[in-house]
Amino acid sequence: MADQSDSAGGATGMQAPGGPGYGTQAPGGPGYGMQPPAGYGYPGGAPLPSGKATASMVLGIVGLLLIPIIPPIIALCLGVSARRMADRGEGGGRGMATAGMVMGIIGIAFAAFGVIVATVQTFAAI
């Protein structure tokens, strides 16, 4: 058999790591950590969520966890407004607005249930 020790690893047709073709880049191409030139990528991108949508979701969470009377009402109103804005294309955050609306409705229902229970207990004690 012929001695093939002059090729990388003893196999013919393979190149050694670090040889031509391994880890090389096209001339002028961006390297690691560099940003591509402007004008590349998806044009436009997704719109950022509006402040109303964010406030609606935050107030919905606060209404469910901490204060069950006023924040859910505000969350519902802001959620409706933010969702309409998102539908018109004036901003993003439709999902956040919907979440705020749902949490606002649930918070209002919990508050109404609490008021009804308190009222019934008050009249039952009389």
Side-chain angles (χ1 to χ4, degrees):
M1 281 191 56
D3 184 22
Q4 297 178 353
S5 61
D6 60 333
S7 64
T12 58
M14 295 187 65
Q15 297 177 354
Y22 182 77
T24 59
Q25 298 177 7
Y32 293 108
M34 295 179 62
Q35 297 294 325
Y40 287 93
Y42 182 71
L48 294 174
S50 68
K52 286 183 181 181
T54 304
S56 171
M57 191 173 77
V58 169
L59 286 172
I61 292 170
V62 168
L64 285 178
L65 298 179
L66 299 176
I67 309 166
I69 297 175
I70 302 299
I73 297 170
I74 299 170
L76 179 62
C77 295
L78 286 175
V80 168
S81 176
R83 192 166 168 191
R84 287 181 181 167
M85 283 178 55
D87 288 342
R88 288 191 305 254
E90 296 175 4
R94 188 174 197 277
M96 291 173 70
T98 303
M101 285 174 46
V102 169
M103 287 187 282
I105 291 169
I106 293 171
I108 290 170
F110 282 163
F113 181 72
V115 168
I116 290 171
V117 168
T119 305
V120 169
Q121 286 181 348
T122 302
F123 286 122
I126 295 178

